[in-house]
Amino acid sequence: MQAELLCILIPLLPLLGFVANGLGFRRVPASLVGPLAVAGPVLSFLAVLSLFSNFRAGGNQPFKALLFDWISVADLHINFSFQIDQLSLIMLLVVTGVGSLIHLYSIGYMKHDEGYGKFMAFLNLFLFFMLLLVMGSNYVIMFIGWEGVGLCSYLLIGFWNTNTSYNNAARKAFVMNRIGDLGFLLGIFLIFTTFGSVEYSDVFASATGMTIGDKTVLAITLLLFVGAMGKSAQIPLYTWLPDAMAGPTPVSALIHAATMVTAGIYMVVRSNVLYTLSPLTLEIMGGIAMATALLAASIGLLQNDIKKVLAYSTVSQLGYMFLGLSVAAYTGGMFHVLTHAFFKALLFLGAGSVIHAMSDEQDIRNMGGLRKYLPITFWTFLIGTIAISGIPPFAGFFSKDEILAHVWEHNKVLWALGVLGSAMTSFYMFRLLFLTFFGEFRGTAEQKHHLHESPLTMTLPLMVLAVLSVVGGLLNVPHALGGHSALAEFMAPLYAGSQQVNPAAFGGHTMGASEELMLMGISAGVALLSAIVAYVMYVRNAAVPAPDSAERSLPAKVVYNKYYIDEFYEVLIVRPVRALGDGLYSVGEFVVDGVVGAVAWLVRTVSGQLRLVQNGSIGSYVFAMVLSLALIIALRFFINWTSVLGYLNI
Amino acid sequence: MLPIILLSVFGIALLFLGFAKSKAILLPATLLFIAIAFGASFVDWGKNYMYFNDMLLSTNLSIAFTAIVLLSAFMVVSLSSSFLEDESAQPAEYYAIMLFSLVGAIMMISFENLIMLFVGVEILSVAMYVLTGSDKRNLRSNEAALKYFLMGSFATGIMLFGLALLYGTSGSFVLSDLRSYVNGGVAYGSPLLLYMGLLLLLVGILFKVSAAPFHFWTPDVYEGAPTLFTAFMSTVVKTAGFAALLRLLSFSFTGIYSFWGVILMAVTVITLVVSNFTAVYQSSFKRMMAYSSISHAGYLLIALTAVGQQSKQALVFYSLAYSVATIAAFGVLLVVSRHQSGEGKPTDESYDAFNGLARQNPLLGFIMTVAMLSLAGIPLTAGFWGKFMVFTTAANRGIFWLLVVAVLMSAVSIYYYFRVIIAMYLRDGQTTAIRVAPFYRYVLIAATILTIVLGILPNLVRSLV
């Protein structure tokens, strides 16, 4: 009973925060907005902690908290219930924990914005939907959360809605996600028709009775993966994420790095039984993930906007997560979600702190030497950079390595490509770090005058996240390094179904400790090497990227312009669709409006006639009544219908 | 059966309270009385009891309908604060009459003997005639009362004739006797008196619930009556009438469904078509609401036409959803029209009265919008589930052509319901901020919340019945 109460409180508290700040926008005093908005996430984080400790104390027993019967139509029964198990608890910890920190940070970051209260309300609403997404015990509740976070993402990307290009970015994110959502929705329909239920427990239980390579499961998993492509920004639906950086930086940290974009990974891990049943889907996923990781990393090499670099880095890291999933390393994928949430949130918040100090300047060509002015930001950003680059013993090293080790067992070429991507990651991150914090200040004198370290509400989250980025990897130290893969052990029960349908995919590590150590050595060495190259280029030689207008060699030009993917989509999809829309519109104008107009005319005419019957005279009313009564009597009693119908030969 | 006794006593007590100098106590006292009766109605929950020498039967279903009627009455009474501002009004009498009329309504809901049905209908009707004409100096109100009375007595005559014929054939007024008589193997069309009696009885009640073609009184009476009593009539009378029809048709006369089913189907279609089409042309909001109430009688009739297991749930839920939304709409109309009329100007109850309302009064605009959405049956409001359940009964019975008509008419209804919303949000008007008394506001907000909550969690009520 107590656990159920906690389950209700966890999403409810942020929702209350949303209601308070949303309804009270411009009425709640500014000093109260922050505490109100932060209280929800923090309290719900405490509730998650308590739930988590109960769960551990209770012997890791998963359970379902049924809130109420929600929809009950014919064969369709959908409960509003929450699933509490290893997976949802990990996600809950990340969402509420990192979420609380980012809420706290937002107080400092957004305080002087005109829409401060509205912003905090949207953040709270986002958290509510995200919690629904991870807690729901069936696909429909997940879908509600899925759509809800999409809505909040839209609202927050276009938060500064007086800027047209920001609005376009928001719309782009929304439309691209809709494409993915359509796939997800079709997947849910197919799940319902196949299994007769959308409840995880029912679906997975009946799925374990199916054979590997089942066609229906293939379709289901592909459709679900289309949904994941949209939400988690994989090729071909990734272009919205870099544009989404138009939103305020805390939004980028919370929604577009730490939580929402990992929903696709969560969904795949949640449906791991289905995916294990369909090796072909996993192969496709692996290809797409690898391509995404490399493409995004290479674009990141030449970007000059501090947030754009981080955005492409996010796309690339999401690719790594899917790469892990594609070789059935579900824990590896989730582990990377976890560590990525720490260091990427840290990096975004650090970038926010820089942007804050630089009076909204985002171009790293105009920065430099900031470490003297923003020491805390610098040190924490450095930690984040080391962590994401995969240099031991920071968090990113362990999680990325776990994925790469599994890939190695599966396919050596993919592994090599993965290491290449990891080299690029290290390079562009250190390039970013060096250009921002080292060398001479390259901005205007006025910007220099304003440089200041951010307030405590902003630096405190940075420090907490920095600590987590350092020690986060210890959660799952592999056996080869003397650990015992604690996270993998913890999450193992989730894959019982998968193990049952395809034991081969879970054969356990076949390679020895020395082989694993060698792999680790290579990837760490490559990352270090890239960092050193970046150091030589941008610190020793003090190179600064050329301005936009400069002449570039052809390959550099292609990469600098993000492979012209956006332009490609514009020509291939947007314009034809728009032309089709224009065409249909003119047809619609003519045909549909004509029909609608005719119906409206008919209704009005009939109505005008009927109205006249109501003439106000009692005599005629009574006459009409009696006439009707007489008619009924005549029709029912004095006409023999069987003989009439027989006479008419009907 | 406690509410019947309580309400009778309370009604008399109210008349005595009317002697007091201060009228301020009347409204809270009436609300308290209704609340007590509401609570008392649940005493018999879960038991099937015959009362008063087998004259009345209390079941969960009858309690549910009683609760809806009392809830509606409570809400209507709480919107009646304008009485107290009017010097010449006699609130004690009106409140007492409302309480007495509730007694009639409860009798109609829980009758076991047809005599009780007749007595209930008459108690309710006579009270309504008086309340319709309560605005004594208003010519329209007087005309409406007279019209209502004349046509009502006509319908009563038909109904009484029907009762007499039923007694003549079966020799009993008791529902269970009638049931065994009907199920005891009567040939189709014979004895003729049984069928004729049922037909006349049905016509009498169909008149009360304003189903076409017996609806002609409704627009004139609803428009002429003071808005408060229009709200009372369109909810309490309708709910009680449908409870009575359900009791008759689903219990006693199921055996001859083939006879009355077709008649009801015809009445349903005529009701839906006539009401929805005519409502389109109205320029007065209040008159539109009259046609709206006729059209909802049509939707409720669908559940009776397809009488079955789910009809009870559907009728209870629909009555509740409809009553709450209707009272909220009339509540907003009351404050708006009073605000617009001002000094010397006649009361403005047209759509134009709502022009630009939402700009200065977002709360009133929202309440009205939710009410209209619910009446139109838009999802996430109680009205949607009401329609859904009603349509489900017909689908289960396989009467699809009726469903097609109903859905089409429902689409037509969006036109006139949304006109208000458009007027409130998109038209320009000079409406200034309207001051709404706190209690009045709370009741309207509660109605809105109830509409939305039932729209999200219909099982809260559905699972009870």
Side-chain angles (χ1 to χ4, degrees):
Chain A
M1 194 56 219
Q2 203 210 344
E4 279 182 1
L5 185 67
L6 284 176
C7 289
I8 296 170
L9 280 181
I10 289 167
L12 194 64
L13 289 165
L15 186 65
L16 289 178
F18 162 69
V19 171
N21 268 331
L23 291 182
F25 179 50
R26 296 215 175 101
R27 294 199 197 105
V28 177
S31 55
L32 216 65
V33 170
L36 266 179
V38 174
V42 170
L43 288 175
S44 102
F45 177 59
L46 293 178
V48 172
L49 279 183
S50 137
L51 192 65
F52 185 67
S53 63
N54 284 353
F55 183 77
R56 293 306 301 263
N60 294 358
Q61 279 303 315
F63 66 93
K64 247 195 268 184
L66 176 67
L67 270 63
F68 50 86
D69 289 344
W70 184 35
I71 299 177
S72 210
V73 182
D75 294 339
L76 177 66
H77 295 285
I78 298 170
N79 292 332
F80 206 98
S81 54
F82 291 150
Q83 171 106 17
I84 302 301
D85 58 9
Q86 289 87 345
L87 182 57
S88 54
L89 277 170
I90 290 176
M91 286 302 284
L92 283 177
L93 284 170
V94 173
V95 171
T96 55
V98 176
S100 301
L101 290 172
I102 294 173
H103 274 75
L104 182 64
Y105 178 94
S106 306
I107 295 181
Y109 194 82
M110 295 297 288
K111 193 168 222 156
H112 305 296
D113 196 280
E114 197 198 343
Y116 177 41
K118 188 168 68 173
F119 179 81
M120 297 311 272
F122 285 166
L123 273 193
N124 272 318
L125 183 67
F126 165 76
L127 216 56
F128 165 72
F129 280 121
M130 192 68 208
L131 290 168
L132 275 193
L133 194 163
V134 299
M135 289 178 82
S137 77
N138 56 52
Y139 282 102
V140 174
I141 298 184
M142 190 201 272
F143 187 71
I144 299 174
W146 191 273
E147 290 297 304
V149 292
L151 169 73
C152 294
S153 158
Y154 167 78
L155 292 172
L156 286 165
I157 294 171
F159 183 73
W160 286 312
N161 52 19
T162 45
N163 184 325
T164 316
S165 72
Y166 290 2
N167 280 334
N168 286 340
R171 209 168 343 156
K172 186 171 175 183
F174 199 70
V175 170
M176 282 216 158
N177 270 299
R178 270 311 69 57
I179 299 172
D181 293 347
L182 180 65
F184 188 30
L185 201 56
L186 290 175
I188 296 177
F189 291 156
L190 200 53
I191 285 175
F192 180 70
T193 47
T194 313
F195 300 103
S197 169
V198 289
E199 198 74 18
Y200 299 143
S201 46
D202 301 341
V203 173
F204 302 148
S206 39
T208 49
M210 303 179 98
T211 50
I212 294 179
D214 187 282
K215 287 264 163 46
T216 323
V217 177
L218 175 71
I220 291 174
T221 47
L222 280 177
L223 286 170
L224 292 184
F225 182 54
V226 170
M229 277 178 193
K231 194 109 304 186
S232 299
Q234 296 297 294
I235 291 175
L237 299 178
Y238 72 96
T239 56
W240 67 270
L241 186 56
D243 286 17
M245 297 303 129
T249 310
V251 172
S252 312
L254 178 62
I255 303 184
H256 304 116
T259 55
M260 183 187 85
V261 290
T262 60
I265 289 109
Y266 166 79
M267 191 257 285
V268 173
V269 176
R270 180 55 87 196
S271 324
N272 64 74
V273 179
L274 299 177
Y275 280 89
T276 311
L277 274 173
S278 180
L280 183 57
T281 311
L282 290 181
E283 292 295 331
I284 296 171
M285 187 193 288
I288 289 179
M290 195 70 249
T292 309
L294 287 179
L295 182 88
S298 65
I299 296 175
L301 293 175
L302 293 181
Q303 292 299 307
N304 294 321
D305 181 315
I306 185 167
K307 287 181 70 182
K308 283 273 161 78
V309 175
L310 291 176
Y312 281 106
S313 151
T314 306
V315 176
S316 164
Q317 297 300 315
L318 290 167
Y320 275 104
M321 296 171 202
F322 278 111
L323 187 64
L325 302 184
S326 76
V327 294
Y330 299 120
T331 303
M334 276 310 290
F335 186 30
H336 204 52
V337 166
L338 200 64
T339 56
H340 180 257
F342 299 149
F343 58 67
K344 190 49 72 63
L346 167 62
L347 289 169
F348 265 117
L349 295 185
S353 175
V354 169
I355 296 167
H356 197 64
M358 292 285 297
S359 323
D360 295 332
E361 175 66 62
Q362 300 197 9
D363 194 324
I364 49 176
R365 285 170 296 199
N366 300 332
M367 298 179 185
L370 293 183
R371 88 194 126 130
K372 291 191 282 285
Y373 306 99
L374 310 170
I376 301 177
T377 308
F378 165 66
W379 282 108
T380 51
F381 203 89
L382 176 67
I383 290 171
T385 306
I386 299 176
I388 193 176
S389 304
I391 295 171
F394 287 20
F397 166 73
F398 291 97
S399 55
K400 195 183 287 178
D401 213 75
E402 161 129 13
I403 291 175
L404 287 177
H406 280 92
V407 174
W408 167 266
E409 285 181 332
H410 193 77
N411 186 333
K412 305 280 188 287
V413 178
L414 274 184
W415 176 83
L417 290 172
V419 173
L420 174 66
S422 153
M424 289 198 268
T425 307
S426 174
F427 179 81
Y428 65 67
M429 282 312 301
F430 276 100
R431 169 180 176 268
L432 181 68
L433 178 82
F434 294 144
L435 283 173
T436 309
F437 291 100
F438 286 76
E440 289 302 310
F441 187 72
R442 296 183 293 273
T444 60
E446 201 191 332
Q447 281 173 332
K448 186 164 183 173
H449 178 70
H450 282 294
L451 280 180
H452 60 281
E453 180 60 284
S454 303
L456 184 67
T457 50
M458 288 168 70
T459 49
L460 186 70
L462 288 179
M463 293 185 272
V464 176
L465 285 169
V467 171
L468 288 171
S469 301
V470 174
V471 302
L474 301 180
L475 284 173
N476 199 22
V477 179
H479 294 285
L481 290 178
H484 57 98
S485 302
L487 187 69
E489 249 170 48
F490 178 62
M491 291 181 70
L494 291 170
Y495 318 125
S498 295
Q499 238 155 348
Q500 193 186 329
V501 296
N502 189 2
F506 290 86
H509 278 300
T510 47
M511 63 181 168
S514 58
E515 196 180 354
E516 201 173 339
L517 283 175
M518 179 197 77
L519 294 180
M520 287 179 186
I522 292 177
S523 63
V526 165
L528 264 177
L529 198 69
S530 302
I532 292 167
V533 172
Y535 180 80
V536 171
M537 280 176 73
Y538 295 106
V539 180
R540 179 83 57 81
N541 298 344
V544 175
D548 291 338
S549 54
E551 277 294 314
R552 286 183 167 78
S553 65
L554 187 65
K557 200 171 161 190
V558 170
V559 173
Y560 187 73
N561 287 303
K562 307 151 196 165
Y563 297 98
Y564 295 102
I565 298 277
D566 275 323
E567 289 76 3
F568 178 69
Y569 282 175
E570 171 77 27
V571 173
L572 200 74
I573 298 170
V574 177
R575 272 189 219 153
V577 167
R578 196 168 284 165
L580 183 70
D582 286 346
L584 288 177
Y585 179 73
S586 23
V587 174
E589 276 287 85
F590 186 69
V591 178
V592 178
D593 285 14
V595 172
V596 170
V599 170
W601 175 83
L602 192 73
V603 169
R604 291 191 78 88
T605 315
V606 173
S607 172
Q609 295 302 313
L610 277 176
R611 192 175 57 119
L612 301 178
V613 179
Q614 194 77 33
N615 61 4
S617 142
I618 298 183
S620 56
Y621 291 173
V622 174
F623 178 68
M625 264 177 72
V626 174
L627 196 66
S628 319
L629 184 57
L631 219 78
I632 294 174
I633 292 174
L635 291 176
R636 288 309 287 169
F637 294 110
F638 298 116
I639 297 179
N640 188 340
W641 284 106
T642 18
S643 66
V644 169
L645 293 179
Y647 183 71
L648 292 171
N649 266 333
I650 299 172
Chain B
M1 281 316 106
L2 221 43
I4 290 189
I5 302 170
L6 284 175
L7 287 170
S8 309
V9 175
F10 288 155
I12 296 168
L14 258 184
L15 288 175
F16 280 106
L17 277 180
F19 288 126
K21 280 248 164 48
S22 163
K23 293 176 184 172
I25 192 170
L26 289 171
L27 178 60
T30 314
L31 289 176
L32 180 71
F33 290 159
I34 297 177
I36 291 174
F38 184 85
S41 66
F42 286 96
V43 167
D44 289 330
W45 185 260
K47 301 176 243 175
N48 281 2
Y49 263 152
M50 287 281 195
Y51 279 93
F52 310 130
N53 294 326
D54 296 353
M55 292 303 243
L56 295 173
L57 172 70
S58 161
T59 60
N60 278 3
L61 185 66
S62 72
I63 293 172
F65 277 119
T66 306
I68 294 173
V69 164
L70 290 176
L71 180 70
S72 310
F74 183 89
M75 290 169 69
V76 172
V77 169
S78 53
L79 302 181
S80 69
S81 45
S82 63
F83 269 174
L84 306 174
E85 292 158 16
D86 189 348
E87 284 299 317
S88 60
Q90 277 107 23
E93 279 82 345
Y94 298 147
Y95 287 138
I97 291 174
M98 280 163 101
L99 291 191
F100 290 140
S101 76
L102 288 174
V103 174
I106 297 172
M107 283 184 178
M108 284 170 73
I109 289 167
S110 44
F111 70 97
E112 171 65 17
N113 190 306
L114 289 178
I115 295 294
M116 288 322 275
L117 171 65
F118 181 73
V119 171
V121 168
E122 281 313 289
I123 293 178
L124 187 57
S125 300
V126 173
M128 286 305 130
Y129 304 149
V130 177
L131 292 180
T132 304
S134 62
D135 192 357
K136 282 171 299 194
R137 283 159 301 177
N138 184 337
L139 206 58
R140 303 291 297 271
S141 175
N142 283 317
E143 184 195 331
L146 189 63
K147 252 184 202 173
Y148 194 13
F149 170 64
L150 284 175
M151 298 204 56
S153 14
F154 194 76
T156 302
I158 294 178
M159 182 175 153
L160 202 53
F161 191 29
L163 287 178
L165 292 183
L166 282 179
Y167 185 76
T169 44
S170 70
S172 170
F173 280 125
V174 182
L175 285 185
S176 44
D177 293 348
L178 278 166
R179 180 187 165 86
S180 35
Y181 178 74
V182 168
N183 290 347
V186 285
Y188 183 84
S190 144
L192 193 55
L193 287 189
L194 170 70
Y195 292 91
M196 199 60 105
L198 176 59
L199 176 60
L200 295 177
L201 175 57
L202 279 184
V203 168
I205 306 178
L206 286 175
F207 171 88
K208 296 293 173 195
V209 301
S210 63
F214 315 106
H215 68 285
F216 290 103
W217 59 277
T218 318
D220 296 1
V221 171
Y222 277 21
E223 198 183 13
T227 306
L228 193 67
F229 298 126
T230 310
F232 193 76
M233 265 189 277
S234 57
T235 53
V236 171
V237 178
K238 195 147 294 192
T239 308
F242 272 97
L245 277 176
L246 179 68
R247 183 107 181 84
L248 273 178
L249 296 177
S250 75
F251 182 70
S252 293
F253 294 103
T254 33
I256 48 173
Y257 174 77
S258 55
F259 168 72
W260 56 262
V262 183
I263 298 178
L264 275 197
M265 263 181 234
V267 170
T268 308
V269 170
I270 297 172
T271 307
L272 285 172
V273 172
V274 168
S275 61
N276 281 302
F277 274 113
T278 319
V280 166
Y281 226 93
Q282 304 306 320
S283 58
S284 153
F285 176 77
K286 203 170 164 188
R287 209 168 163 84
M288 178 280 277
M289 283 302 285
Y291 283 104
S292 148
S293 111
I294 301 173
S295 81
H296 286 284
Y299 296 117
L300 284 160
L301 275 173
I302 294 175
L304 283 177
T305 310
V307 69
Q309 271 309 308
Q310 288 153 326
S311 295
K312 293 172 185 168
Q313 284 184 0
L315 280 176
V316 168
F317 193 91
Y318 202 107
S319 311
L320 180 61
Y322 162 77
S323 301
V324 170
T326 304
I327 293 171
F330 277 122
V332 176
L333 172 69
L334 260 177
V335 277
V336 171
S337 62
R338 200 186 312 144
H339 180 78
Q340 302 291 53
S341 63
E343 290 299 312
K345 273 191 289 177
T347 335
D348 186 0
E349 282 159 349
S350 67
Y351 282 108
D352 294 339
F354 291 94
N355 282 354
L357 177 75
R359 230 154 280 164
Q360 289 298 321
N361 307 280
L363 180 71
L364 286 179
F366 181 71
I367 290 168
M368 186 58 130
T369 306
V370 172
M372 287 298 117
L373 292 179
S374 184
L375 288 176
I378 304 295
L380 289 188
T381 59
F384 167 74
W385 286 106
K387 277 211 175 94
F388 180 81
M389 289 177 202
V390 163
F391 290 177
T392 312
T393 60
N396 284 345
R397 193 106 196 181
I399 321 176
F400 290 105
W401 64 272
L402 187 59
L403 276 188
V404 173
V405 175
V407 170
L408 284 178
M409 289 306 122
S410 183
V412 172
S413 76
I414 288 178
Y415 174 82
Y416 54 83
Y417 288 130
F418 278 37
R419 259 177 85 179
V420 194
I421 301 177
I422 290 169
M424 288 189 305
Y425 286 93
L426 302 179
R427 295 267 150 77
D428 289 320
Q430 277 88 45
T431 316
T432 47
I434 300 176
R435 203 192 63 78
V436 185
F439 186 65
Y440 198 110
R441 196 165 61 219
Y442 297 147
V443 171
L444 290 182
I445 292 173
T448 305
I449 291 174
L450 188 63
T451 300
I452 294 172
V453 166
L454 287 181
I456 298 169
L457 307 170
N459 282 358
L460 281 185
V461 167
R462 190 155 59 152
S463 54
L464 284 181
V465 186

